[in-house]
Structures are given as structure tokens and as C-alpha cells.
Amino acid sequence: MLSGFMNFLRACFRPRSDRYVHSSSDAGSRQDGLLWYKDTGQHFNGEFSMAVVQANNLLEDQSQLESGCLSSHECGPYGTFVGVYDGHGGPETSRYINDHLFQHLKRFTSEQQTMSVDVIRKAYQATEEGFLSLVTRQWPMNPQIAAVGSCCLAGVICGGTLYVANLGDSRAVLGRAVKATGKVLAIQLSAEHNACIESVRQELQSLHPDDSQIVVLKHNVWRVKGLIQISKSIGDVYLKKAEFNREPLYPRFRLREPFKKPILSADPSITVHQLQPHDQFVIFASDGLWEHLSNQEAVDIVQNHSRSGIARRLVKTALQEAAKKREMRYSDLKKIDRGVRRHFHDDITVIVVFLNSNLVSKASSVKGPNLSVRGGGVTLPPRTLAPCAMPA
């Protein structure tokens, strides 16, 4: 019975092989089916490892690592930028962030001639405003773009300081060595904005005291207005601007009552961490990883294995856990194609950034080579769906 079901799943949404297109700005990356990875590389402050596995028909996770100059002028400051953008409703918002957030960050860094919380906040705001402009232009031809959004996790390492900014439920976790025990402790650096967290629900209720339906428990999952789990994002304009919450937007996205102020926010939570010699590495990952691994489990895996390929190892461990939860073999899960795969796990993006204390302590004015890497995947033209063939 299971064998027949697996054959059916493999038959569904199977694309022609000549439609697989992968592009990356870094030649050291590899593609293995739905898995893209770059096992090792060198950034301004140490080594790094990246991996992305696709589950959606169109990859909604986007990611990047930028190292070297963090401003529009080559005079610095210098450091490392990491971004993980977990899209929903489609890939448009996460792709937009991948193309614009770092460019905005460089522009504001140049204007202020330094890296700061204010620079990062302004870069997020400019990205949100830019995507709103895009939605406004495209609304007459493509109104559903108003219901596309993305979580947005970014990390900046500059002059011995680590800035972590977040919208949504992606996560950054620091691995810190404890001298007394020799173990590495997991420390979560990012604040999350998911309605499953009681403090997030309380914040929403305090912001919308007259709306008894601001958070709704639907199918045992807390959702904002019964529609979306996260309370902060880039995009999702249909829950920020009332003029986009109307026909011809699909009925399932339209609210019965008009709203007077934005329901979702694009104001990121930003933490500032002064890096210490015992800070070993940071794991940046979309919630697809954290659904299956705890913070400490992920840190232990990184600590106990070789650095090369560690992001790929984390992704594989998460997939093995996903298979186990569905009482199936990992080898069978790997055979399920994109689209159908989403029923078993989400897109997963992992970037592990190792911290070399000698490099981290360098002044941000010390020049380093520029590097740009983007997480890859199987990409198709918009609205390209292969038909679902019935099993023989």
C-alpha cells in the first residue's frame, strides 16, 4: 500500500528535467536533486557553509551571504552580511528582498559612514516601501501579489559586533563555548514573531484592543486574523493596506470588516551582540529547520562534526526527522518531487557562519575581498506547473 502511494506521489508534479535551472554567483556550489549546497567558503570573519532544500513547487526560501565592503563606497566598513528570507504565498517577496535589502544597507551605511541599528532598520523600511511600490504597480494585472510576503532574518558582523534583525519566525542561534564544561551552549539571538508565542498574541491584542478576532485558534494553530501565523513580515500588503484587501483578491484573503491600521508590521526586532573569543559560530536558518531540531540539537551537530558540509548535514538531519515523523524512510522522502514534497516538510535554508576570533577582532576599516553567494534551488518560470499524472 505504501509503495503504491509513494509511486503516486513521485508521479505528481514531476517536471521535465530540461526545465531545471540553477544559477549562483559562486562556482563552488553543487546541486543534488532538490538540494543545493556550498559545503565551505571563506568570509571576512571566518569560514561558512550553506545549504538549501526545496519543498515548494517554486522555491520560496531565498538567501545570501555578502562579505567584504558593507557600504556603497570601497572605503568600508568591512564585514559579513547574512540573509535568510522565508517567503510565503509565492517567491516574489523573498526574491525582492534578496535583490534589494543588502543594497539598501550599503547605501545607508555610506550615508552614516558606520554600521548601526539605525542603518539596518532603515534598510528594512526601504525594502518594505519598495515592495509596496511594486505591489501598487502590479495590482491591476496581478492582484494576488498583495497576498505574497516573506520573513526576513539578517545578520551583520562588523568591527567585532554582531547585529541580528528579524521579521517572522526564522532564527539565528549562537554556539558559545563554555570553558568549565568544554561544551558549546546554544543561545538564541533573534526574537520571533509567530502567533503560537503567547507574548506575540498579547502584543497583537494590546495593539488591536477592539478586535476580538485579531488572533484565532484555527485547526489547533494560532493565526493572525485566522490567516497567517507570523505577525511581522515584508510584503503581505493585504494585511497592511486596506485598499489591497478587496476584490479581485481571492476571497480567502479578504477580511469581512475593513481595518483602519496595519495588522502586520515590518518593524524588525534587532539585537546587538559584542562577539567574544568563546563565540564559535552562528546558525542562521528558516523555520523549516527549527520545526525538526531544537537550538541545542543544531548546535551540538555543528560542534561535533567537520565544518565542511555542516549546513548540508543539518538539512539532512532535519529531513531524516521529517521522514521519521511520517513513518517513512529518508530514502523514500528524497524521491518525492517538489510541490508534493511540501506535504512532508517546508523549504529549508541553513547558513552556518564560523567566527575566527582573530579575524572578528580586526578593525572594520581593514579591507577584505568581496564575496557574494546566493542560495540556489530548482527554479521555474512563474505559474509553471507540471500536470499530475495518475499512477499506472
Side-chain angles (χ1 to χ4, degrees), residues 237-256:
V237 178
Y238 76 114
L239 291 176
K240 294 174 179 174
K241 301 280 186 181
E243 59 263 36
F244 295 105
N245 197 290
R246 58 179 176 83
E247 291 184 341
L249 191 68
Y250 292 146
R252 69 175 180 272
F253 296 121
R254 300 203 300 264
L255 302 179
R256 293 179 181 178

Side-chain angles (χ1 to χ4, degrees), residues 302-317:
V302 176
Q303 176 62 17
N304 296 327
H305 294 89
S306 169
R307 290 184 174 189
S308 180
I310 196 61
R312 182 158 50 111
R313 183 180 290 274
L314 283 169
V315 168
K316 180 179 178 180
T317 305

Side-chain angles (χ1 to χ4, degrees), residues 345-379:
H345 66 83
D346 199 353
D347 293 338
I348 302 174
T349 295
V350 178
I351 304 176
V352 182
V353 174
F354 292 96
L355 304 168
N356 181 323
S357 59
N358 293 325
L359 297 175
V360 167
S361 61
K362 281 196 309 186
S364 61
S365 58
V366 177
K367 191 171 183 178
N370 289 334
L371 171 73
S372 179
V373 184
R374 293 199 177 191
V378 177
T379 59

Side-chain angles (χ1 to χ4, degrees), residues 36-284:
W36 173 95
Y37 59 93
K38 178 172 173 57
D39 278 344
T40 187
Q42 189 75 32
H43 67 102
F44 189 81
N45 298 282
E47 297 173 77
F48 71 92
S49 179
M50 292 176 69
V52 180
V53 69
Q54 180 171 348
N56 287 289
N57 191 51
L58 293 174
L59 180 68
E60 295 183 346
D61 273 18
Q62 300 291 314
S63 55
Q64 65 187 134
L65 184 143
E66 310 286 342
S67 183
C69 189
L70 300 178
S71 75
S72 301
H73 308 302
E74 285 302 317
C75 57
Y78 298 88
T80 302
F81 173 90
V82 178
V84 174
Y85 319 123
D86 179 2
H88 47 263
E92 290 88 349
T93 313
S94 54
R95 289 176 180 175
Y96 184 89
I97 300 169
N98 221 11
D99 289 337
H100 293 87
L101 178 61
F102 182 60
Q103 300 307 316
H104 287 309
L105 181 107
K106 290 201 296 183
R107 176 165 60 90
F108 289 117
T109 302
S110 297
E111 290 178 5
Q112 299 195 10
Q113 298 183 336
T114 186
M115 183 57 63
S116 68
V117 168
D118 187 52
V119 162
I120 296 169
R121 198 174 300 280
K122 284 182 175 178
Y124 268 69
Q125 182 181 1
T127 305
E128 168 78 352
E129 290 172 355
F131 189 73
L132 172 59
S133 296
L134 185 147
V135 171
T136 303
R137 292 194 305 271
Q138 292 194 6
W139 168 263
M141 303 82 69
N142 179 25
Q144 308 316 321
I145 197 171
V148 180
S150 181
C151 299
C152 185
L153 171 67
V156 181
I157 306 170
C158 184
T161 301
L162 169 61
Y163 303 86
V164 175
N166 195 37
L167 296 170
D169 54 10
S170 296
R171 190 180 301 173
V173 176
L174 172 72
R176 172 181 287 172
V178 180
K179 285 186 178 180
T181 63
K183 293 185 176 181
V184 175
L185 184 67
I187 301 172
Q188 184 168 325
L189 298 176
S190 54
E192 291 177 35
H193 314 108
N194 189 304
C196 71
I197 303 168
E198 186 176 358
S199 61
V200 172
R201 297 197 298 274
Q202 290 173 345
E203 180 183 22
L204 285 165
Q205 288 160 350
S206 67
L207 290 170
H208 304 272
D210 300 325
D211 189 351
S212 62
Q213 299 294 303
I214 189 64
V215 283
V216 178
L217 189 62
K218 193 173 182 180
H219 305 305
N220 215 31
V221 176
W222 286 102
R223 296 182 183 274
V224 181
K225 299 301 292 181
L227 292 170
I228 189 169
Q229 288 181 258
I230 57 172
S231 62
K232 293 191 175 189
S233 68
I234 299 289
D236 295 309
V237 178
Y238 76 114
L239 291 176
K240 294 174 179 174
K241 301 280 186 181
E243 59 263 36
F244 295 105
N245 197 290
R246 58 179 176 83
E247 291 184 341
L249 191 68
Y250 292 146
R252 69 175 180 272
F253 296 121
R254 300 203 300 264
L255 302 179
R256 293 179 181 178
E257 302 292 331
F259 55 93
K260 296 179 181 178
K261 62 179 180 178
I263 294 167
L264 302 187
S265 164
D267 184 30
S269 298
I270 304 177
T271 60
V272 182
H273 178 74
Q274 297 301 321
L275 291 168
Q276 305 297 323
H278 50 277
D279 293 336
Q280 304 291 296
F281 54 83
V282 185
I283 305 168
F284 296 88

